[in-house]
Amino acid sequence: MNRRAVILALVGAVAAFAVVLAIKPPLKIPVRAPAAGRGSLGPDYFTRRAIGRAPEGIPWITDLLIVDLDGDGLKDILVCDGRLNKVSWIRQVGRGEFEEQDIGETVAGPAHVEVADLDGDGHLDVLVAAMGVIPPSNVKTGAVVVLVNDGTNHFHNRVLLENVARVTCVTAADFNKDGRLDLAVGQFGYLEGEIRWMENLGNWQFASHPLLDLPGTIHAPVADLNGDGNPDLVALVSQDSEEVHAFMGDGQGHFRDRVLYGSTNKDYGSSGLCLADVNRDGRPDIVYTNGDGFDYATPGPRPWHGIQWLENLGDGKFAYHRVGDFPGAYSPVVVDLNGDGRPDMVACSGFNDWNDRQAVSLMAFENDGRGGFIPRVLARDPTHLIVVKAADMFNDGRIELVTGAFMFYPPYDRISRITLWEHPQ
């Protein structure tokens, strides 16, 4: 395979270059003691339990989203199942009690899920990026599907885009400030792919505008990078590019493409990206992982796999920082995990050497308050974790994690599907 089939959200040093690179001393962040009653980050920090349905065969969970879908004050979990071609809702019906149900009709190869009120009726609709088929293919099987919420916890499918290169991400934002939510769409494809934005014309009609004609897009979140009040688009493009692109918006639907960072290692394995204010200076930074192992002759880890962040210095400048090595790294999350007031990073591993019982599947990088991050092993079991999300699931001020497993290669001796990582009672 040429490059990632990007399950998600599909989706150690290397020779790398920063097209826009600046050097800045690490930000001094005051050190605080962990909140009372919380232990040190490590294998005993969380307990885990399976939630939702039991696995049917070998699980292929491609994405998760933590959201209060029904507005009852309890956080739920949306699940993309790439093997069963379903989107499901793990609803928290009581504190710590979960029930799973399918929503909408079948979606072929769901890879990414977001929510937005696209039709302005006050109810959250579910946006699904559909690859059509998960394994590598250049056939135009991609689609953008919205599961329209009727306000009574029922959803019906509406296809907004179809018969295109495999779609791996979709995000809603008002790019031209006309009061309607538009869509940013990343198409991984295989040998062919692209990034486009879809202008909302009203009445469920959309017009597509191309932004980039390259395969391999994994994630394309939206934020105002330069503080001008206009939404910008950041994209992680793998395949032969291995680049981070910023599409700077003018608020009128026009974008200027800039490459913020790129690796000269064609096997770098870009695997996931998120936007977060890592150093709390008021500017969104870019955090991303490289740990994809799909296209290696033997799937698995490489010594250059890990996590890094691009510090937003303002004025369009970004500084590259390597956070740490992590074989098979996927799905970066920035969150104050231990309650000490500093943003930490969390990532999971989809492509480690699972024959080694010491291989790590879930890792935290603890913010030391001095510009560095300390690797902390959270778990070695279960394995093949392709996505992790974080939230205060129980509204008690503590952060829990939820993971999904994509079992792509053996051994299959520590199978999971959806796992909740919570605090010991």
Side-chain angles (χ1 to χ4, degrees), residues 22 66 76 89 104 114 127 147 181 187 192 209 229 244 252 291 294 301 318 334 345 365 370 373 391 398 404:
I66 299 174
D76 313 308
W89 176 16
E114 296 281 353
L127 310 178
L147 308 183
L181 287 176
Q187 298 169 229
E192 300 174 4
H209 305 281
V244 177
Q252 303 300 314
F294 277 97
F318 287 79
V334 177
M345 298 184 190
F365 293 85
R370 297 179 295 276
F373 293 84
R398 299 186 296 179

Side-chain angles (χ1 to χ4, degrees), residues 140-200:
K140 301 298 191 291
T141 58
V144 173
V145 181
V146 56
L147 308 183
V148 182
N149 187 345
D150 70 359
T152 66
N153 298 330
H154 294 90
F155 299 80
H156 68 271
N157 293 31
R158 181 183 286 272
V159 178
L160 303 183
L161 179 71
E162 60 184 336
N163 301 321
V164 296
R166 297 180 305 157
V167 179
T168 47
C169 58
V170 57
T171 304
D174 185 359
F175 289 119
N176 55 4
K177 295 186 176 179
D178 64 356
R180 293 187 291 261
L181 287 176
D182 310 301
L183 301 176
V185 178
Q187 298 169 229
F188 187 95
Y190 181 41
L191 301 177
E192 300 174 4
E194 69 174 286
I195 299 173
R196 69 176 76 195
W197 77 278
M198 297 174 59
E199 181 181 2
N200 189 342

Side-chain angles (χ1 to χ4, degrees), residues 5 30 57 166 185 218-219 247 259 267 288 338 409:
R166 297 180 305 157
V185 178
I218 297 173
H219 291 138
F247 298 90
V259 178
D267 287 327
Y288 78 99
N338 55 2
Y409 63 103

Side-chain angles (χ1 to χ4, degrees), residues 118-367:
L118 268 191
D119 54 4
D121 65 356
H123 307 299
L124 290 176
D125 306 305
V126 178
L127 310 178
V128 185
M131 298 178 76
V133 294
I134 299 298
S137 173
N138 213 43
V139 179
K140 301 298 191 291
T141 58
V144 173
V145 181
V146 56
L147 308 183
V148 182
N149 187 345
D150 70 359
T152 66
N153 298 330
H154 294 90
F155 299 80
H156 68 271
N157 293 31
R158 181 183 286 272
V159 178
L160 303 183
L161 179 71
E162 60 184 336
N163 301 321
V164 296
R166 297 180 305 157
V167 179
T168 47
C169 58
V170 57
T171 304
D174 185 359
F175 289 119
N176 55 4
K177 295 186 176 179
D178 64 356
R180 293 187 291 261
L181 287 176
D182 310 301
L183 301 176
V185 178
Q187 298 169 229
F188 187 95
Y190 181 41
L191 301 177
E192 300 174 4
E194 69 174 286
I195 299 173
R196 69 176 76 195
W197 77 278
M198 297 174 59
E199 181 181 2
N200 189 342
L201 304 177
N203 196 30
W204 293 108
Q205 300 299 308
F206 289 80
S208 286
H209 305 281
L211 295 177
L212 185 69
D213 184 20
L214 284 176
T217 298
I218 297 173
H219 291 138
V222 174
D224 181 2
L225 290 181
N226 55 6
D228 66 355
N230 300 318
D232 308 308
L233 177 65
V234 180
L236 181 59
V237 183
S238 59
Q239 293 290 66
D240 290 330
S241 300
E242 300 292 354
E243 293 172 339
V244 177
H245 288 246
F247 298 90
M248 309 303 294
D250 66 357
Q252 303 300 314
H254 306 109
F255 294 87
R256 178 170 52 90
D257 180 16
R258 297 179 58 207
V259 178
L260 301 184
Y261 179 82
S263 174
T264 58
N265 181 354
K266 297 303 182 183
D267 287 327
Y268 198 53
S270 298
S271 56
L273 180 146
C274 72
L275 303 179
D277 187 358
V278 175
N279 54 9
R280 300 211 167 162
D281 64 358
R283 294 186 291 259
D285 307 301
I286 301 167
V287 179
Y288 78 99
T289 51
N290 64 302
D292 187 22
F294 277 97
D295 63 338
Y296 304 141
T298 301
R302 291 299 184 268
W304 53 80
H305 286 172
I307 187 169
Q308 47 260 300
W309 69 292
L310 301 180
E311 181 184 2
N312 188 343
L313 305 178
D315 298 324
K317 297 178 181 179
F318 287 79
Y320 174 90
H321 304 277
R322 180 72 169 188
V323 173
D325 300 338
F326 185 19
Y330 258 78
S331 190
V333 175
V334 177
V335 64
D336 180 8
L337 197 59
N338 55 2
D340 64 0
R342 299 188 296 257
D344 309 301
M345 298 184 190
V346 179
C348 56
S349 178
F351 289 88
N352 215 326
D353 179 6
W354 305 122
N355 288 302
D356 179 359
R357 304 293 292 193
Q358 295 303 305
V360 176
S361 58
L362 190 61
M363 179 82 82
F365 293 85
E366 183 179 3
N367 191 328

